[in-house]
Amino acid sequence: DEARVFYACGTDHASRCGLERCGIGRSIGVVVVPRAGERVPREVDDLVLVAQPAEGEVAQFSSTKVRQAVAERNSEYLRRAMAASAADLLLHPSAEEAREFE
């Protein structure tokens, strides 16, 4: 069995980058995660899928806020927005991890 790779993003990013039309190069699928009340794109075969709208606290998270939290070293926000281990990697990488991602 082959694994399928999907790229998850919000409606704004999918629209801005044209991902809602045919995925990424017609080989990598896209899962669009809208916020409540946003225009929902049309699903396209197995290339563009649309998730249920994000609601509650998770709907408030955004990549822009995550980048800002990393710059400000805001571990409280990052631990709410992602797994604690991912926040630790971003804020406190080991020497080996830091070399790997240089």
Side-chain angles (χ1 to χ4, degrees):
D1 291 334
E2 287 188 23
R4 292 275 325 264
V5 174
F6 285 87
Y7 177 76
C9 63
T11 53
D12 57 340
H13 183 74
S15 178
R16 184 172 47 252
C17 297
L19 303 177
E20 62 185 10
R21 291 189 305 270
C22 61
I24 299 173
R26 296 196 181 276
S27 60
I28 297 174
V30 172
V31 177
V32 179
V33 183
R35 289 189 171 89
E38 286 185 328
R39 180 191 67 79
V40 177
R42 177 177 62 81
E43 291 193 344
V44 178
D45 301 322
D46 288 335
L47 288 173
V48 179
L49 305 176
V50 179
Q52 293 293 315
E55 296 179 350
E57 183 181 23
V58 72
Q60 303 306 311
F61 298 140
S62 73
S63 59
T64 301
K65 290 178 183 178
V66 167
R67 288 190 299 275
Q68 182 178 359
V70 170
E72 295 172 354
R73 307 195 60 74
N74 183 342
S75 62
E76 180 182 327
Y77 179 85
L78 290 173
R79 286 175 177 271
R80 286 194 332 268
M82 63 184 65
S85 58
D88 288 342
L89 174 64
L90 288 173
L91 296 179
H92 309 290
S94 67
E96 182 181 337
E97 291 166 335
R99 279 192 304 276
E100 185 177 341
F101 292 105
E102 283 184 337

